[in-house]
Amino acid sequence: MKPSLVSSKQQVIRSQNPESRSDTAQGARHKEYIGQRVSFGPEPYAFAKGELMARKGKKKPRLLQGNEAIVEGALAAGCSFFAGYPITPASEISEILAYRLPQVEGTFIQMEDEIASLGAVIGASLAGAKSMTATSGPGFSLMQENLGFACVAEVPCVIVNVMRGGPSTGLPTNPSQGDVMQARWGTHGDHPIIVLAPSTVRDSFDITVKAFNFSERYRTPVIVLSDEVVAHTRETVVLPDPDEIEVLDRIRPSMPPEWYIPYEDTSSGVPAMGIFGDGYRYHVTGLIHDIRGFPTARTDEIEPFMRRLFRKINQSFHDIQIVNHFMTEDAELIVIAYGSVARSARRAVLDARDKGVKAGLLHLVTLYPFPRRDVMATIRDARVVLVPEMNMGQISREVKRVNEGMSQVATLNRIDGCMITPQEIYDWLIKEA
Amino acid sequence: MAEITKLVHKYLRHDKKFPHVWCPGCGNGIVLGAMIRAIDRLAYRKDDIVMVSGIGCSGRLPVYVDFNTLHTTHGRALTFATGVKLAKPELKVIVVMGDGDATAIGGNHFIHAARRNINLTAIIINNNIYGMTGGQYSPTTPYGMKASTAPYRNIEHAFNIAELAVTAGAVFVGRGTVYHARLLDKLIEKAFVKRGFGVVEVITHCHTQYGRRNRMGDAVAMMKWQKEHAVRVEKSADMSEEELRDKFTIGVLVDRELPIYTEQYALVREQATENLPRSH
C-alpha cells in the first residue's frame, strides 16, 4: 500500500473505534502501520521538500497528546535538529521527530545517552540549527553538565523534561512535579535559566514555540517542564496556522568579520551570534571568557561577564514571565498552580464559584525566572493561598519566599505517583471558605 | 624566521592572550604543528574548519588557532562535534582529545562515534596521564607505573586506543608519535582526507607529571624512549610476540570503507520525502 497522509488520517480515526480491535482487524492494521509508518495522526501541514507549507483554511480539530503537540510546536518554531535517548514518558517526542524531521530536511539522531544528546544539540545550534532534546528525570540529571555549558557559552536550545516520579528510576510511568528545583538549580554554579510548564495539549504546542523564541532571543537554554499527565493526555485541539505563529530567530552579526566581537555587551545584554562556517570565526568555551571568547581569570572581566548573563534575563521579566489569571480579581482564596495541576485547579475554582466561594487561580506558565511581581500582586489581598503540587513543596517555597507574611500559604502535596484531582482542590476550597 | 614557523603564524590567533598553557618541552605543540601543516597542504579554508576539543592540556589546543573553535565539556567533544557535523555536513570537523578525555569520561562517546562512522577526524593525544590536574593515572597509564593517585603502582591495565578504535568501527586508524614528526604529518593528512570516522592516536610525553614520577627523564629522554619503542606496522608483522613485548606499532592500522552516517542520512531524507504531496 502506498503511504499517504489521507489514509493515515482515516487510520487514526479508525483506531479510536474499539470495535476495530478484533484480532483480524488488529493484524490488518498492523500491516498497514508497518507499510505506512504513520501512526501519529494527520499532519497539519502539507510538506513541500524542506519547507513547511500551511494548508490554509483547513484548520481542523485534531486529536493529539501533549508529547505530539510539543513536536508540532517545535516544527512550527523552526526546529531542524533533535538528539535524544529513549526514556519514558518522553519517548514519543523522539519517535515522532525521527519520522518528521527528515521530511523537512531536518536531522534526528539517537545518541548513546542524554549527555551526548545535549552535547549534539549544542553543537548543532552552534552550526545554526534550532535544536531540541527531550527526556525525563533520570536523563535530565545527566544533562545538567552540558546545560551549564549552554548557559555559559550562550547557546540557544530547548530541553523538554517530561517529569515522572523520582528520585532515581522512581516511577517511570507516573506523573510528578519533582524536578522543578532541578530545572532551576540542577547545573552547578550561579546561572539564570528559563523554565516553562505546559498544562494542556494546546499549551504544550504554544509553550514549545515560546521556548524556542526565548532561547533564540536571549541566547539561552530553555527548559520545558511537562509532566506525564500533560504528555499522555489526548484531547482535541485546534492548532494555529503557521502564519499566525510568531517565530523569532537569533540575532546574527552583520558587521565585517574582523569587527565581530563575539561576546560584546549590548543594551539587551545579548550578543549577536556567529554561526560556524559563516565567516565569523570565534572561540566557544565553557570557561569564563572575555568579550572575544577567550578564557580569562581577570576579575575585571569575570564579573562583568557574569552580571551580563543575569542582566539579559533580568531586564526582560516583562517578556519572559507568563502567568494566566483566572477569576483572581475578587478572590479571597487563591490557588497557585502549574502544569497538569493548574488544569485540575481551574475546574475546582469553577465548581467552587458555583457554590458561591470566591476562589481564583493564578496559573504559572513561567516557573523561572519566578514571576515574583505577579504572585505578590495576586496574593496581597487573598486570605489564604493554596499551592497544590505533585511534590513535597517546591514552588510553594518560592511563594512563601515572596509572600513575606502578607497572606497565609497552604500546601497540598501528592507524592504517590497520582495526579491531583479537581475534587481534592475543590474540597480544600470549600473547607476554607 | 624558519619556514615552518612562518606557516604556523599564518594560522595562530594574534588577538589571543598568549603565552599558551603548555609546559616547555610539551608535545602538544608538535601535534598542533602537524595539524596546521596538513590543513595548509590540503588548502582548507579557515572558515570551513571546526576544531573541537574536550578538557585537559589537549583541550586548550583549539583556542590558539584561527578556525571556528569549540572547547567543550570533559569527554564530550565528540558529541558536540556530531551535532555540528550533522547540522552542517559541509564543514570539516576535527576533534582533539586527550587519553583520559577520549577513553575514560568520553569512552562511551568515542566507541559510538566510531560505530556510527560519523564523518569526523579524531586526534587523540596520549600522554599516559592526566597532566593538567596533577598526574593522576589514566586508562592508558601502563600497568605497574606510578601516578599521583597510584603512589605505590598502577594495578589497572591500559587501553590500546588505536585497537579500540579499530574494533569500534573507525574506517581509518593511525598511530604516530611526536618523535616521528614526518610520519605524524602524513597520518594526520590521511585522516583529514579520509571520509568517515578517522582516528589518529599520537603517543606523546608528559615529562612534568608522568616522566618525573617514573624516572623517565626530561622531554628529550622521553622522545628517545618513543623512538626506541615504536615499531612500524609493516615491520611488526615479521616480529615475534617476545620481540614486540614492550613495543607499540606506528603507521596505518586500518584503512577501510564503510557507509558514512551523513551520506546515509541524506538518503533517509530522500526516502522520507518521496511520498509526500508536493506544495500547492
Side-chain angles (χ1 to χ4, degrees):
Chain A
M1 180 179 287
K2 265 205 163 177
S4 82
L5 297 174
V6 178
S7 61
S8 75
K9 195 165 170 180
Q10 288 165 344
Q11 157 137 353
V12 165
I13 293 164
R14 200 143 47 84
S15 68
Q16 302 309 312
N17 179 3
E19 285 175 8
S20 72
R21 286 189 190 146
S22 70
D23 281 351
T24 46
Q26 178 77 47
R29 218 172 49 243
H30 186 67
K31 242 187 229 163
E32 206 177 335
Y33 168 80
I34 296 295
Q36 294 192 5
R37 308 187 62 77
V38 176
S39 65
F40 305 116
E43 275 77 353
Y45 315 118
F47 292 110
K49 277 205 170 179
E51 186 184 11
L52 277 173
M53 295 291 290
R55 252 196 227 162
K56 284 198 183 148
K58 287 201 176 177
K59 257 206 268 181
K60 282 187 184 157
R62 305 176 57 202
L63 183 71
L64 293 179
Q65 60 162 229
N67 280 346
E68 288 178 281
I70 283 175
V71 169
E72 299 298 339
L75 292 173
C79 174
S80 64
F81 184 88
F82 181 96
Y85 186 81
I87 191 166
T88 306
S91 292
E92 294 89 349
I93 298 173
S94 284
E95 289 165 7
I96 305 167
L97 280 168
Y99 177 77
R100 298 286 294 278
L101 274 172
Q103 296 175 334
V104 293
E105 286 180 8
T107 306
F108 166 91
I109 186 169
Q110 183 170 303
M111 296 297 285
E112 53 273 17
D113 59 30
E114 288 87 348
I115 302 171
S117 301
L118 189 49
V121 160
I122 293 169
S125 183
L126 286 166
K130 288 190 181 181
S131 308
M132 179 171 92
T133 183
T135 187
S136 187
F140 192 51
S141 293
L142 291 185
M143 286 181 184
Q144 297 304 331
E145 177 193 37
N146 284 338
L147 178 58
F149 184 96
C151 288
V152 159
E154 299 176 74
V155 184
C157 56
V158 174
I159 299 149
V160 178
N161 174 5
V162 183
M163 289 184 285
R164 68 190 214 186
S168 190
T169 314
L171 298 159
T173 58
N174 296 47
S176 158
Q177 293 177 319
D179 300 349
V180 174
M181 284 293 152
Q182 196 194 9
R184 176 62 194 90
W185 293 114
T187 194
H188 58 275
D190 243 336
H191 63 282
I193 195 84
I194 299 175
V195 183
L196 310 174
S199 72
T200 65
V201 173
R202 173 62 201 256
D203 246 13
S204 300
F205 178 91
D206 294 338
I207 281 175
T208 307
V209 174
K210 272 269 179 232
F212 273 97
N213 286 348
F214 286 161
S215 77
E216 294 284 321
R217 173 177 276 172
Y218 301 109
R219 279 190 66 176
T220 181
V222 176
I223 296 163
V224 175
L225 213 49
S226 183
D227 61 63
E228 195 273 339
V229 175
V230 176
H232 287 160
T233 298
R234 281 182 192 277
E235 60 184 322
T236 307
V237 288
V238 177
L239 298 181
D241 273 341
D243 53 8
E244 295 169 44
I245 300 166
E246 186 194 27
V247 173
L248 300 177
D249 295 320
R250 63 193 71 171
I251 293 168
R252 306 269 288 270
S254 53
M255 67 287 278
E258 60 272 24
W259 294 1
Y260 177 53
I261 302 172
Y263 289 96
E264 191 177 28
D265 200 355
T266 60
S267 59
S268 68
V270 186
M273 185 172 172
I275 299 301
F276 285 171
D278 281 4
Y280 294 90
R281 299 187 301 274
Y282 70 112
H283 187 61
V284 181
T285 176
L287 287 162
I288 303 298
H289 41 269
D290 62 18
I291 56 171
R292 295 196 167 273
F294 299 134
T296 184
R298 277 172 52 176
T299 52
D300 63 332
E301 289 177 338
I302 299 167
E303 175 147 346
F305 168 75
M306 290 298 288
R307 293 226 176 262
R308 180 176 62 74
L309 269 196
F310 279 88
R311 179 166 57 81
K312 72 176 180 179
I313 303 296
N314 292 356
Q315 70 187 14
S316 298
F317 280 171
H318 61 280
D319 182 40
I320 301 168
Q321 292 176 340
I322 308 166
V323 297
N324 292 328
H325 286 270
F326 184 64
M327 298 183 164
T328 54
E329 218 153 77
D330 61 338
E332 292 169 1
L333 302 177
I334 297 279
V335 182
I336 298 182
Y338 57 97
S340 60
V341 182
R343 190 171 200 172
S344 292
R346 194 183 173 92
R347 176 60 193 260
V349 163
L350 265 179
D351 289 352
R353 284 271 172 179
D354 281 350
K355 298 278 179 199
V357 177
K358 283 189 172 175
L361 165 69
L362 181 66
H363 168 199
L364 308 182
V365 175
T366 304
L367 301 186
Y368 292 101
F370 188 71
R372 180 193 181 100
R373 204 183 312 183
D374 294 285
V375 171
M376 281 179 82
T378 311
I379 66 180
R380 194 169 42 218
D381 301 321
R383 189 155 53 77
V384 193
V385 178
L386 177 71
V387 187
E389 289 179 274
M390 291 186 285
N391 57 43
M392 285 296 278
Q394 299 193 11
I395 282 293
S396 65
R397 292 170 76 110
E398 298 287 12
V399 174
K400 284 173 186 166
R401 179 171 65 83
V402 306
N403 178 44
E404 291 173 353
M406 290 187 291
S407 303
Q408 191 190 331
V409 179
T411 58
L412 171 59
N413 308 106
R414 272 199 93 147
I415 49 161
D416 58 354
C418 292
M419 64 175 282
I420 295 177
T421 60
Q423 186 71 43
E424 287 169 83
I425 298 167
Y426 172 81
D427 289 347
W428 182 89
L429 290 169
I430 297 299
K431 185 165 65 76
E432 284 294 330
Chain B
M1 198 187 283
E3 278 308 307
I4 202 162
T5 318
K6 267 188 209 160
L7 182 60
V8 169
H9 276 269
K10 191 172 140 190
Y11 292 91
L12 285 187
R13 273 181 168 139
H14 295 284
D15 54 353
K16 166 78 186 80
K17 290 173 280 188
F18 276 93
H20 57 69
V21 299
W22 301 320
C23 304
C26 181
N28 285 1
I30 298 173
V31 183
L32 179 57
M35 288 164 66
I36 285 175
R37 286 188 290 277
I39 285 166
D40 195 69
R41 275 197 302 275
L42 295 167
Y44 289 135
R45 287 173 63 234
K46 287 179 180 179
D47 287 341
D48 292 339
I49 291 181
V50 182
M51 202 175 275
V52 189
S53 68
I55 296 291
C57 297
S58 66
R60 297 302 184 100
L61 193 143
V63 71
Y64 305 116
V65 280
D66 187 18
F67 305 120
N68 305 286
T69 55
L70 173 55
H71 177 213
T72 71
T73 43
H74 196 18
R76 320 298 178 207
L78 281 168
T79 70
F80 285 65
T82 299
V84 172
K85 187 69 189 179
L86 295 189
K88 270 201 177 165
E90 66 272 25
L91 295 174
K92 176 72 199 162
V93 182
I94 301 164
V95 186
V96 186
M97 295 171 284
D99 46 306
D101 202 30
T103 62
I105 189 164
N108 200 30
H109 309 309
F110 179 53
I111 56 175
H112 286 280
R115 175 181 66 81
R116 279 186 196 108
N117 198 21
I118 198 113
N119 202 358
L120 308 168
T121 308
I123 311 287
I124 303 173
I125 306 178
N126 180 3
N127 62 0
N128 308 103
I129 205 86
Y130 287 93
M132 185 174 266
T133 47
Q136 296 83 8
Y137 67 92
S138 86
T140 58
T141 302
Y143 177 85
M145 300 305 266
K146 286 183 178 169
S148 65
T149 45
Y152 302 104
R153 63 193 171 97
N154 177 29
I155 55 169
E156 295 184 15
H157 300 280
F159 262 141
N160 183 328
I161 295 178
E163 282 178 19
L164 180 66
V166 172
T167 310
V171 289
F172 179 88
V173 180
R175 188 193 283 125
T177 79
V178 291
Y179 173 83
H180 301 87
R182 284 179 194 281
L183 173 70
L184 186 61
D185 277 21
K186 273 184 213 149
L187 288 175
I188 287 179
E189 185 177 332
K190 276 185 187 163
F192 284 171
V193 173
K194 182 74 185 178
R195 289 160 64 260
F197 190 72
V199 179
V200 178
E201 179 189 3
V202 188
I203 305 291
T204 184
H205 50 277
C206 180
H207 50 290
T208 309
Q209 300 291 359
Y210 181 71
R212 185 167 53 84
R213 277 193 183 77
N214 291 293
R215 299 182 186 279
M216 292 179 74
D218 61 5
V220 175
M222 291 185 77
M223 287 177 83
K224 278 185 183 154
W225 181 94
Q226 292 164 21
K227 180 190 175 189
E228 285 155 13
H229 290 78
V231 177
R232 294 277 178 164
V233 174
E234 301 79 14
K235 202 179 160 195
S236 70
D238 303 327
M239 289 168 72
S240 69
E241 215 168 288
E242 186 61 31
E243 288 172 308
L244 285 169
R245 176 158 296 188
D246 62 345
K247 302 284 197 292
F248 59 89
T249 51
I250 54 171
V252 177
L253 275 70
V254 150
D255 191 348
R256 58 187 164 192
E257 303 296 327
L258 289 169
I260 295 162
Y261 191 95
T262 43
E263 294 175 9
Q264 290 296 308
Y265 200 82
L267 297 177
V268 168
R269 278 183 188 162
E270 275 179 29
Q271 200 179 339
T273 46
E274 238 164 39
N275 295 297
L276 287 174
R278 299 277 175 262
S279 59
H280 43 78

